[in-house]
Amino acid sequence: MLIFSTIEGKLRAYTVILLTLPLLAACIAFYTIVRQANITNAYHDIYTETSYTKYSINTWLEHRAGDIEHVAATPSALLEDPKFTSDFFKAFLKSHEDFRSLVLFDTAGNVRTSIPETQRGNVADREYFARARKGLAPTTSLLKSRLSGEYIIIVAHPVQDEKGAFSGVLTGAININTILQTFSLSHSSGSWRPILLDAQTHTPLADMESGSAKIIPPPDGDTGTPQIYKNSDNARVIGASMPAKDGEWLVVMEKPVAEILGGMERMLLVLAIASLGTMVALLPYI
């Protein structure tokens, strides 16, 4: 080649190579090793936190079900006394602030006792009441209360008399905001904290009425390598999702790629500018 036919040409070529080689080496190392390692490490942290949040929510719900079971075990003869029941419920709610209310329904689904007091209603057609009549102790997914109009979950348990016959249903209501605050969950996907979605609609539980379905993380496949995708806010992210509450909810957590790789990309940019600046400065001499 003509550029290598003279000493001057060789010096120019070698100078350009020496100036561009560090940049090329850094780019190759970044895109083949460092970039993927950082994304994988960040995904591992996201996966671990998502798993811990899912486990914590499931355990917390089990404990709340145990609380209602304990109250429902009170002798039914005592629960037939309105004053005793009212005072008992008030004391329970004072020491169990996770619950918004306690309601005791009779065998027909009508309100017998409610703390705090609310309008009378009938829940005989509710699935949780029907399941409790069969001896089950259901915890509902998110629903809109007929008594308060709020979005809540209901923890229900059958009440039996001394002979073991069905005598009513006890329910404890938990506001969805209580769950979000207890586990520091986000109301939207923009805060990068874990968010709780309905598993079927992918709508945030914090905004079931006006919220829109969110894009959930794609599966990582058999390799365990996280995939970069654009979320509902059009940001490039990696994320993890796990089912909670027997698959009725999804715990989703995302992290923007720009945040994961921001420092290294800035270093590459500085190196590229320095290399190009040096080439431009030395151009008259080579």
Side-chain angles (χ1 to χ4, degrees), residues 43 47 217-229 239-241:
Y43 177 75
Y47 185 91
D220 55 19
D222 297 332
T223 62
T225 302
Q227 297 185 39
I228 297 174
Y229 64 98
S241 66

Side-chain angles (χ1 to χ4, degrees), residues 19 29 61 70 79 93 140 161 166 171 175 203 216 242 250 272:
L19 290 174
L61 289 173
H70 176 74
L79 293 179
L93 291 175
T140 71
D161 62 19
F166 176 74
T171 65
N175 192 294
T203 304
I216 64 172
M242 292 188 182
L250 282 178

